[in-house]
Amino acid sequence: MSSPTRSGEPGPALERQIGPVQATAINMTQMCGIGPFVTIPAMVATMGGPQAMFGWIIGAIVALADGLIWAELGAAMPGAGGTYLYLREAFQYRTGRLMPFLFVWSAVLFIPLIMSTGIIGLVQYLGYLIPGVTDDNGTTPLGKIIGVGVTLVIILALFRKIGQISKLTTVLFVVMLAAVLTTIVAAFSHFSAAQAFAFTPGAFSSAGEGTFWGGLGAGLIIAIYDYLGYNTTAYLGGEVRTPGRTLPRSILFSILGIMGLYFLLQVGVLGSIPLEQLKEAKSVASSVLEQVWGTGAAKAITVLIVIAAIGSVFAGLLGGSRVPFEAARDKVFLPMFGKLHPKLHLPTAGVLTMGAITILGSLFTLTTVINAAVATLVIIQSLAQVAAIVVLRRRQPELRRPYRQWLYPVPTLIALVGWVYIYISADWLSIGLSLGWIAVGAIAYLVYAKSEHTWPFGPKEIKEAFASAATEGTPA
């Protein structure tokens, strides 16, 4: 079974085996994972108190607005790599292959960095179960070794056919849902509304440190980190059945579903654990469960939380490993990333490379990795896609769009404002590193462009691949 690449060369094809249920499960599993279980204390501390619950809502609005961009672009251009395809089609008119190259260059870094936060959080919860894994200063050497071992197991688990992977991800999704819902039930069975809604005096005023507005920027970085993953099926667009319907639905359903779960979890935790204790908690869900149902139940559900974290990293590396595939097939990235496993039909180099970077990222602290990953993602993916949907509406009006963004351009403008605010709210080190990484990528692109005699050292290759397919009557 083979399919032509953009350059006209045949090669093994990805298999469309992911249906609507599996697609939504993949997104939600990657979105939830360990995120809210380790970031709720940081969110409360950052935003100064129970008013942190509104940070999740604002983060959900930004995620939903951005999800509507992904929904239109993904339905119109369903292929491996997601953003790579959208930027390739949108920016080829002015800057040739520069933007898609920079995206893949950055994605190979920021996707596994985000996955490494799942490993860090997973080890943090293992500290509740295994003495010596964590201490007051964070993860111990033993914990880091365990994190590396878990990542290696996840990499090995990814070496199977996509049909088997989608079934496994659905099982992991059920485990994640059980862990979250059980924690929510436990929290509300020992709930104090007065405590949960005891907003800090003056929290919503426009002045003073520690207010809602003063901590909103840093809080949104945490919130959007926890929502990331609703785009995973767009990376897997080449393996999704009926993508014109499945991709938009999986994105929107997963955002709305996770938004509801996160809000209930946040409110429940706020009403069951005293504020000062919550700010310092390392395994907040375990603490909630222990005080309500005892140590045995807490340990049992903590095991489910660890499995959910493994599922999140699994789903993230599954989608992320497909990002460089199409770029390599287009000869825009290293050729090794364009080769599929001869029997399993998966991009071997993508899985191994992103797995290795995940291991390296897991050796750093959680907040450091979150800031670096989000800052890099925003500048070359989120903001670039805002521009891409506008450019493609103007440049390719004939492009077949099974889904068109509701109320366009309002969601696009909301996403633009939200992403700019999140980016400038990151710490200066993360902003500097993200800009530096892009600068190095631009230099690497110039070397590549010189060798390939493409823009700016040669002509631009303008090819409206998906618009042409739609015009010719073939599936895009």
Side-chain angles (χ1 to χ4, degrees), residues 42 117 120 221-222 364-373 427 430:
T117 63
I120 296 169
I221 292 175
I222 295 172
F364 294 88
T365 64
L366 184 66
T367 52
T368 298
V369 179
I370 288 176
N371 272 273
D427 60 68
S430 297

Side-chain angles (χ1 to χ4, degrees), residues 296-316:
K299 288 184 176 181
I301 303 304
T302 298
V303 170
L304 295 184
I305 291 171
V306 170
I307 295 173
I310 292 173
S312 176
V313 177
F314 181 88

